[in-house]
Coordinates of all heavy atoms in Angstrom, one line a residue:
I1 N -39.0 -58.6 -64.4 CA -40.2 -59.0 -63.7 C -41.4 -58.1 -64.2 O -41.2 -57.2 -64.9 CB -40.1 -59.0 -62.2 CG1 -39.8 -57.5 -61.7 CG2 -39.0 -59.9 -61.7 CD1 -39.8 -57.3 -60.2
G2 N -42.6 -58.5 -63.8 CA -43.8 -57.7 -64.2 C -45.0 -58.2 -63.5 O -44.9 -59.1 -62.6
E3 N -46.2 -57.6 -63.8 CA -47.4 -57.9 -63.1 C -48.4 -58.4 -64.2 O -48.5 -57.9 -65.3 CB -47.9 -56.7 -62.4 CG -47.0 -56.2 -61.3 CD -47.5 -54.9 -60.7 OE1 -48.3 -54.1 -61.4 OE2 -47.2 -54.6 -59.5
I4 N -49.2 -59.4 -63.7 CA -50.3 -59.9 -64.6 C -51.6 -59.8 -63.8 O -51.7 -60.2 -62.6 CB -50.1 -61.4 -64.9 CG1 -48.9 -61.5 -65.8 CG2 -51.3 -61.9 -65.6 CD1 -48.5 -63.0 -66.2
F5 N -52.6 -59.2 -64.4 CA -53.9 -59.0 -63.8 C -54.9 -59.9 -64.5 O -55.1 -59.7 -65.7 CB -54.4 -57.5 -63.8 CG -53.5 -56.6 -63.0 CD1 -52.4 -56.0 -63.6 CD2 -53.7 -56.4 -61.6 CE1 -51.6 -55.1 -62.8 CE2 -52.9 -55.6 -60.9 CZ -51.9 -54.9 -61.5
I6 N -55.6 -60.8 -63.8 CA -56.6 -61.7 -64.3 C -58.0 -61.1 -64.1 O -58.4 -60.9 -62.9 CB -56.5 -63.1 -63.7 CG1 -55.0 -63.6 -63.7 CG2 -57.4 -64.0 -64.4 CD1 -54.4 -63.7 -65.0
V7 N -58.7 -60.7 -65.1 CA -60.0 -60.2 -65.0 C -61.0 -61.3 -65.4 O -60.9 -62.0 -66.4 CB -60.2 -59.0 -66.0 CG1 -61.6 -58.4 -65.9 CG2 -59.2 -58.0 -65.8
S8 N -62.0 -61.5 -64.5 CA -62.9 -62.6 -64.7 C -64.3 -62.2 -64.3 O -64.6 -61.1 -63.9 CB -62.5 -63.8 -63.8 OG -62.8 -63.6 -62.5
T9 N -65.3 -63.1 -64.5 CA -66.7 -62.9 -64.2 C -67.0 -63.4 -62.8 O -68.1 -63.4 -62.3 CB -67.6 -63.7 -65.2 OG1 -67.3 -65.1 -65.2 CG2 -67.4 -63.1 -66.6
D10 N -65.9 -63.9 -62.0 CA -66.1 -64.3 -60.7 C -66.6 -63.2 -59.8 O -66.0 -62.1 -59.8 CB -64.8 -64.9 -60.1 CG -65.0 -65.7 -58.9 OD1 -65.4 -65.1 -57.9 OD2 -64.6 -66.9 -58.8
K11 N -67.7 -63.4 -59.1 CA -68.3 -62.3 -58.2 C -67.5 -62.1 -56.9 O -67.4 -61.0 -56.4 CB -69.7 -62.7 -57.9 CG -70.6 -62.7 -59.1 CD -72.1 -63.0 -58.7 CE -73.0 -63.0 -59.9 NZ -74.4 -63.3 -59.5
V12 N -66.8 -63.1 -56.4 CA -66.0 -63.0 -55.2 C -64.7 -62.4 -55.5 O -64.2 -61.5 -54.8 CB -65.8 -64.4 -54.5 CG1 -65.0 -64.3 -53.3 CG2 -67.2 -65.0 -54.2
A13 N -64.0 -62.9 -56.5 CA -62.6 -62.3 -56.9 C -62.6 -62.0 -58.4 O -62.1 -62.7 -59.2 CB -61.6 -63.3 -56.5
P14 N -63.3 -60.9 -58.8 CA -63.3 -60.5 -60.2 C -62.0 -60.2 -60.8 O -61.8 -60.2 -62.0 CB -64.3 -59.3 -60.2 CG -64.2 -58.7 -58.9 CD -63.9 -59.9 -57.9
K15 N -61.0 -59.9 -59.9 CA -59.7 -59.5 -60.5 C -58.6 -59.9 -59.5 O -58.6 -59.6 -58.3 CB -59.6 -58.0 -60.7 CG -58.4 -57.5 -61.5 CD -58.5 -56.0 -61.8 CE -57.4 -55.6 -62.7 NZ -57.5 -54.2 -63.1
L16 N -57.7 -60.7 -60.0 CA -56.5 -61.2 -59.2 C -55.3 -60.6 -59.9 O -55.2 -60.5 -61.1 CB -56.5 -62.7 -59.2 CG -57.5 -63.5 -58.3 CD1 -57.2 -64.9 -58.3 CD2 -57.5 -62.9 -56.9
A17 N -54.3 -60.4 -59.0 CA -53.0 -59.8 -59.5 C -51.9 -60.7 -59.1 O -51.8 -61.2 -57.9 CB -52.8 -58.4 -58.9
L18 N -51.0 -61.0 -60.0 CA -49.8 -61.7 -59.8 C -48.6 -60.7 -59.9 O -48.3 -60.3 -61.0 CB -49.6 -62.9 -60.8 CG -50.3 -64.2 -60.6 CD1 -51.8 -64.0 -60.6 CD2 -49.9 -65.2 -61.6
H19 N -48.0 -60.3 -58.8 CA -47.1 -59.3 -58.7 C -45.6 -59.8 -58.8 O -45.3 -60.9 -58.2 CB -47.2 -58.5 -57.4 CG -48.5 -57.7 -57.3 ND1 -48.8 -56.6 -58.1 CD2 -49.6 -58.0 -56.5 CE1 -50.0 -56.2 -57.7 NE2 -50.5 -57.0 -56.8
G20 N -44.8 -59.1 -59.5 CA -43.4 -59.4 -59.5 C -43.0 -60.8 -59.9 O -42.1 -61.4 -59.3
I21 N -43.5 -61.3 -61.0 CA -43.2 -62.6 -61.4 C -42.2 -62.5 -62.6 O -42.2 -61.6 -63.4 CB -44.4 -63.4 -61.9 CG1 -45.2 -62.7 -63.0 CG2 -45.4 -63.6 -60.7 CD1 -46.3 -63.5 -63.6
H22 N -41.3 -63.5 -62.6 CA -40.3 -63.5 -63.7 C -40.9 -64.0 -65.0 O -41.8 -64.8 -65.0 CB -39.2 -64.5 -63.3 CG -38.3 -64.0 -62.2 ND1 -37.3 -63.0 -62.4 CD2 -38.3 -64.3 -60.9 CE1 -36.7 -62.7 -61.3 NE2 -37.3 -63.5 -60.3
D23 N -40.4 -63.4 -66.1 CA -40.9 -63.7 -67.4 C -42.4 -63.6 -67.5 O -43.1 -64.6 -67.9 CB -40.4 -65.1 -67.8 CG -40.4 -65.3 -69.4 OD1 -40.8 -64.3 -70.1 OD2 -39.9 -66.3 -69.8
P24 N -43.0 -62.4 -67.2 CA -44.4 -62.3 -67.1 C -45.1 -62.5 -68.4 O -46.3 -63.0 -68.4 CB -44.6 -60.9 -66.6 CG -43.4 -60.2 -67.0 CD -42.3 -61.2 -66.9
L25 N -44.5 -62.1 -69.6 CA -45.2 -62.4 -70.8 C -45.4 -63.8 -71.1 O -46.5 -64.3 -71.6 CB -44.4 -61.7 -72.0 CG -44.6 -60.2 -72.2 CD1 -43.7 -59.7 -73.3 CD2 -46.0 -59.9 -72.5
K26 N -44.4 -64.7 -70.8 CA -44.6 -66.1 -71.0 C -45.7 -66.7 -70.1 O -46.5 -67.5 -70.6 CB -43.2 -66.8 -70.6 CG -43.3 -68.3 -70.7 CD -41.9 -68.9 -70.4 CE -42.0 -70.4 -70.4 NZ -40.7 -71.0 -70.0
I27 N -45.8 -66.2 -68.9 CA -46.8 -66.7 -68.0 C -48.2 -66.2 -68.5 O -49.2 -66.9 -68.4 CB -46.6 -66.2 -66.5 CG1 -45.2 -66.7 -66.1 CG2 -47.7 -66.8 -65.6 CD1 -45.0 -68.2 -66.2

């Protein structure tokens, strides 16, 4: 498992985290 952090220009949610997902590189 692993974590993916999505960095964006969104002012409300500039960074979202997907924790503990299987096959994180594929996602």
Side-chain angles (χ1 to χ4, degrees):
I1 61 176
E3 299 176 332
I4 296 177
F5 295 92
I6 312 296
V7 182
S8 74
T9 58
D10 193 299
K11 295 182 179 180
V12 177
K15 191 171 185 178
L16 287 185
L18 279 63
H19 297 286
I21 58 175
H22 288 284
D23 204 354
L25 278 177
K26 179 180 177 181
I27 305 305

